[in-house]
Structures are given as C-alpha cells and as structure tokens.
C-alpha cells in the first residue's frame, strides 16, 4: 500500500509492505518513507500503535482521526497533524486550510491539567488549547487551525476518557 502523508506542510511518500509467511496478516512490515526502508513490528494498543524496531527501540503513537484523512498523532516528544492522501479527500497538498468546526478530542484517557483557552478566544493554528496528563506525561493538544474557540467542554482536574470532546474551534 502506498500513500502520501502531509505533515505540517511537508509531503512524504510512504509505502507499507507486509513481511513474513503470514502475508497481509503478519505484524511485521517494511515501511519505506521517501525511499528509506525500515522493518518494524506493529502492535495495536488501546491508544493507537506501538512500533517495535529490531534494535530494541519502541515508539508508541496515539492516533485520533479528526475527519476523513485528517489525523492527530501524538508521539513521545511531538504532536503532529497529518493528512493522509490529501488529494483523495479534497485537501490541498501544502498548507491546506482545515475548514469548518474542528473538534479537538482526547486521544487517550487521562486528566485535564490545564485549560488554556475560553469560548470566544481567537487562536492560531498549532496553539496549545488543553494540557492532558496521561500515563504520567503531560500532552498539549493544539488547535488544528486558526479561528475562534466556539466551545470548551472540560475543566481543570476533570477525568476524561479517550474520544471525549474537549474544545471546538470554528
């Protein structure tokens, strides 16, 4: 399977090929990003995926789908907004504007540490909106686009489940 991923305006061509005797049902894959290949074992987790490399490293990724082809990906040290096959879903390739109300959802269960905006506040694309503590780590959830905060549906100290609506940006 080959597709394009637009990560913060940079388009990457990605191919994923199953490996091993089990074919497509195998958990081992070869991932090729812009011509550079890596073999990795992929495991589903409650929050998304765990990528297990042959050298013993592992990377957990929490995934939240925002709209068709639009994903919010949380990695250990960075949050990424990604568009998969943007042309297929009608999103532009570089610097595409996200249109309509954008719902920021909790990518994992946790606790609200800080709410950084109020309804009516103007926000920039990538501006932190809410800080969620999960698995003893604080995660800033950022605005997917510039706009105005339409709704904040959580308060500091609240426990939240994965998928809970936190903020709406219009």
């Amino acid at each position: 399977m080959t597709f394009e991923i637009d990560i913060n305006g940079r388009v990457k061509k990605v191919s994923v090929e199953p490996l091993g005797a089990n074919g497509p049902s195998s958990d081992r894959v070869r991932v090729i990003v812009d011509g550079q290949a890596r073999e990795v074992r992929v495991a589903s987790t409650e929050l998304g995926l765990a990528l297990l490399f042959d050298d013993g490293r592992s990377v957990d990724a929490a995934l939240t789908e925002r709209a068709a082809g639009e994903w919010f990906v949380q990695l250990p040290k960075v949050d990424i907004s990604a568009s998969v096959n943007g042309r297929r879903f009608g999103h532009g390739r570089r610097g595409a504007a996200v249109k309509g109300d954008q719902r920021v959802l909790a990518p994992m269960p946790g606790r609200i540490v800080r709410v950084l905006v109020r309804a009516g506040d103007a926000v920039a694309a990538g501006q932190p909106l809410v800080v969620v503590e999960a698995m003893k780590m604080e995660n800033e959830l950022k605005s997917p686009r510039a706009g105005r905060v339409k709704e904040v549906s959580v308060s500091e100290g609240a426990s939240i489940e994965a998928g809970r609506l936190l903020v709406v940006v219009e």
Side-chain angles (χ1 to χ4, degrees):
M1 168 175 33
T2 301
F3 50 94
E4 292 178 337
I5 300 177
D6 182 334
I7 301 172
N8 301 329
R10 294 179 50 205
V11 176
K12 301 283 187 179
K13 183 177 179 180
V14 178
S15 294
V16 179
E17 304 166 357
L19 298 174
N22 295 334
S25 65
S26 174
D27 63 350
R28 292 197 55 78
V29 296
R30 177 178 296 117
V31 178
I32 304 168
V33 179
D34 288 343
Q36 294 187 334
R38 271 223 131 95
E39 291 186 13
V40 63
R41 192 167 71 99
V42 180
S44 293
T45 67
E46 185 178 317
L47 306 175
L49 299 173
L51 306 174
L52 310 165
F53 297 90
D54 288 336
D55 63 6
R57 291 180 306 125
S58 69
V59 175
D60 290 322
L63 307 170
T64 304
E65 187 172 18
R66 291 188 165 153
E70 295 287 332
W71 290 85
F72 179 65
V73 182
Q74 289 186 291
L75 298 168
K77 295 183 181 178
V78 66
D79 296 337
I80 299 169
S81 292
S83 172
V84 178
N85 288 341
R87 288 181 291 184
R88 176 176 158 210
F89 291 107
H91 309 302
R93 285 192 66 174
R94 293 191 183 268
V98 179
K99 296 182 179 159
D101 286 355
Q102 296 299 299
R103 299 165 48 91
V104 178
L105 306 176
M108 64 193 78
R111 183 179 63 84
I112 302 296
V113 177
R114 286 187 302 280
V115 177
L116 304 170
V117 295
R118 295 188 316 254
D121 287 354
V123 294
Q127 177 179 334
L129 304 171
V130 177
V131 179
V132 175
E133 180 184 330
M135 300 184 302
K136 298 184 182 181
M137 291 182 61
E138 289 189 2
N139 303 280
E140 282 187 343
L141 303 183
K142 299 176 182 177
S143 179
R145 69 179 191 95
R148 188 160 305 281
V149 175
K150 182 176 184 178
E151 175 185 343
V152 176
S153 61
V154 293
S155 59
E156 291 182 8
S159 292
I160 56 167
E161 64 280 350
R164 167 129 184 230
L165 176 64
L166 305 175
V167 178
V168 177
V169 177
E170 58 182 354

